[in-house]
């Protein structure tokens, strides 16, 4: 009896895996090799060649940095003699990808650190980019591309986007790569899911074991899968890992609704359902208008003292109550159908958001409501 149940369970898993192959997502798009991580690099530098839009003499850091840069070329200048506004101090940031090799090039983000008005037309002088360990991994240099501008004259200002931030395309050259070990000495490696989920990780394990044999993979937790490479694949793991990445799995999705109250945007998956519920939503608008009238008796000139012009407020209160919206939903109604029904009765985006929040509090919305 036990063997029969085991056989039925394996058959169900095989059918599920085949269904995932037909309409699934590649494992490559669901998870990554755990050891393949990116590293943030940061640096400090100077941008020269600005048309009078750089840091002022009040920025002592820029003045001292310019003096130190000139000292590297054998020019000794007193900081009091530095008055140029064609230079700006900037911070540099980039990301060192996994498997990066010396000689590869990276884009560098450049942002002003002083009181510069614009970095348009500037060139970044050679600067080092360091990692969290303080070691230099790349050198950056090149013209700064700014997607904006700022021009001012006699108090008139014309500006587009942020001219104090730019990018140096391919401006950083990697001097030192990061060694990434995919497989350990025991022939094991780990995959990390981008969106941890117990059902998804189980399907990934079933798909790998179905293709390469039982015991090849097992789930450590909801976000990690451990894979043991066969002996013949350990000498050349790339081909084996390529085959794993190409397997398709049908991921399980948690029911979520994302609501942005600032823009009135509602985004939900097609699998989000609503329990049977009745919705009544109405608007009450109160308008208070005050007009100030001037009361001036016609006999002011004849009566004299004690009679004067008086300002009299005239207030009108108007109450408008719109006819409430009434909608009844049956079982397993999707959020898309709910939003479509609300649109038919001309409900605004704000109304839809308020109704979704009320349904969630009533326990009739079978999804996680994320409000941004």
């Amino acid at each position: 009896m036990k063997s029969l149940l085991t056989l039925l369970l394996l058959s169900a898993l095989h059918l599920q895996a085949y269904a995932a192959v037909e309409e699934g997502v590649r494992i490559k798009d669901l998870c990554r090799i755990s050891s393949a991580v990116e590293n943030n690099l940061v640096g400090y530098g100077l941008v020269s060649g600005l048309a009078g839009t750089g840091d002022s003499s009040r920025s002592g850091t820029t003045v001292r940095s310019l003096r130190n840069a000139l000292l590297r070329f054998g020019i000794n200048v007193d900081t009091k003699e530095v008055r140029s506004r064609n230079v700006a101090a900037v911070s540099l940031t980039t990301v060192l990808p996994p498997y990066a090799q010396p000689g590869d090039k990276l884009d560098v983000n450049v942002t002003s650190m002083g009181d510069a008005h614009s970095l348009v037309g500037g060139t970044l002088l050679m600067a080092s980019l360091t990692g969290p360990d303080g070691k230099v991994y790349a050198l950056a240099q090149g013209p700064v591309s700014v997607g904006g501008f700022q021009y001012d004259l006699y108090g008139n200002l014309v500006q587009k986007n942020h001219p104090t931030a730019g990018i140096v395309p391919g401006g950083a050259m990697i001097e030192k790569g990061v060694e990434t070990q995919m497989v350990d000495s025991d022939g094991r490696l780990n995959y990390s899911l981008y969106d941890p989920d117990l059902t998804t990780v189980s399907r990934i394990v079933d798909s790998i074991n179905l293709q390469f044999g039982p015991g090849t993979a097992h789930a450590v937790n909801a976000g990690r899968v451990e894979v043991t490479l066969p002996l013949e694949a350990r000498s050349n793991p790339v081909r084996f890992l390529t085959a794993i990445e190409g397997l398709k799995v049908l991921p399980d999705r948690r029911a979520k609704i994302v609501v942005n109250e600032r823009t009135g945007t509602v985004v939900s998956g097609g699998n989000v359902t609503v329990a049977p519920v009745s919705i009544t939503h109405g608007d009450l608008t109160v308008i208070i208008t005050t007009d100030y009238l001037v009361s001036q008796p016609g006999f002011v000139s004849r009566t004299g003292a004690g009679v004067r012009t008086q300002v009299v407020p005239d207030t009108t209160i108007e109450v408008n109550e719109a006819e409430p919206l009434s909608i009844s939903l049956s079982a397993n109604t999707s959020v898309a159908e709910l939003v479509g029904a609300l649109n038919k009765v001309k409900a605004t985006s704000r109304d839809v958001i308020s109704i979704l929040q009320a349904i969630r509090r009533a326990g009739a919305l079978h999804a996680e409501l994320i409000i941004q």
Side-chain angles (χ1 to χ4, degrees), residues 279-353:
I279 304 170
T280 302
H281 181 76
D283 291 331
L284 178 65
T285 305
V286 180
I287 302 175
I288 301 177
T289 305
T290 301
D291 294 329
Y292 293 94
L293 306 177
V294 178
S295 175
Q296 182 173 357
F299 51 86
V300 171
S301 58
R302 298 195 300 271
T303 56
V307 180
R308 64 182 184 274
T309 300
Q310 182 69 34
V311 178
V312 180
D314 183 14
T315 302
T316 303
I317 300 178
E318 181 181 356
V319 179
N320 297 325
E321 185 173 7
E323 183 178 353
L325 309 177
S326 297
I327 299 175
S328 296
L329 302 178
S330 59
N332 297 325
T333 300
S334 66
V335 172
E337 295 172 345
L338 169 61
V339 174
L342 293 175
N343 289 334
K344 289 182 180 179
V345 295
K346 298 181 180 180
T348 64
S349 299
R350 307 292 179 185
D351 294 336
V352 173
I353 293 173

Side-chain angles (χ1 to χ4, degrees), residues 149-365:
F149 57 81
Q150 178 181 357
Y151 301 103
D152 62 283
L153 184 65
Y154 302 123
N156 299 315
L157 177 65
V158 178
Q159 178 175 330
K160 178 183 179 181
N161 297 335
H162 297 278
T164 54
I167 188 173
V168 182
M173 180 173 293
I174 298 176
E175 299 293 324
K176 179 182 179 181
V178 178
E179 294 296 332
T180 303
Q181 183 178 3
M182 295 187 298
V183 183
D184 60 17
S185 57
D186 296 331
R188 295 190 180 95
L189 80 156
N190 293 294
Y191 281 99
S192 298
L193 273 70
Y194 296 122
D195 188 10
D197 183 83
L198 288 173
T199 304
T200 302
V201 77
S202 299
R203 293 176 180 175
I204 291 175
V205 170
D206 294 338
S207 179
I208 295 176
N209 289 337
L210 178 63
Q211 182 70 22
F212 301 103
T216 304
H218 75 275
V220 179
N221 50 44
R224 187 159 66 95
V225 177
E226 185 178 90
V227 178
T228 302
L229 274 67
L231 293 176
E232 62 274 11
R234 296 180 185 180
S235 59
N236 185 16
V238 175
R239 286 186 175 274
F240 183 78
L241 298 181
T242 301
I244 290 180
E245 289 182 345
L247 297 178
K248 290 188 176 181
V249 175
L250 186 63
D252 191 47
R253 296 182 301 172
R254 294 178 56 191
K256 292 183 181 180
I257 299 177
V258 181
V259 173
N260 192 319
E261 289 190 314
R262 297 185 300 273
T263 60
T265 304
V266 179
V267 180
S268 67
N271 58 339
V272 180
T273 58
V274 181
V277 66
S278 179
I279 304 170
T280 302
H281 181 76
D283 291 331
L284 178 65
T285 305
V286 180
I287 302 175
I288 301 177
T289 305
T290 301
D291 294 329
Y292 293 94
L293 306 177
V294 178
S295 175
Q296 182 173 357
F299 51 86
V300 171
S301 58
R302 298 195 300 271
T303 56
V307 180
R308 64 182 184 274
T309 300
Q310 182 69 34
V311 178
V312 180
D314 183 14
T315 302
T316 303
I317 300 178
E318 181 181 356
V319 179
N320 297 325
E321 185 173 7
E323 183 178 353
L325 309 177
S326 297
I327 299 175
S328 296
L329 302 178
S330 59
N332 297 325
T333 300
S334 66
V335 172
E337 295 172 345
L338 169 61
V339 174
L342 293 175
N343 289 334
K344 289 182 180 179
V345 295
K346 298 181 180 180
T348 64
S349 299
R350 307 292 179 185
D351 294 336
V352 173
I353 293 173
S354 300
I355 290 172
L356 288 175
Q357 292 176 351
I359 295 176
R360 183 71 179 87
R361 295 190 188 98
L365 183 61

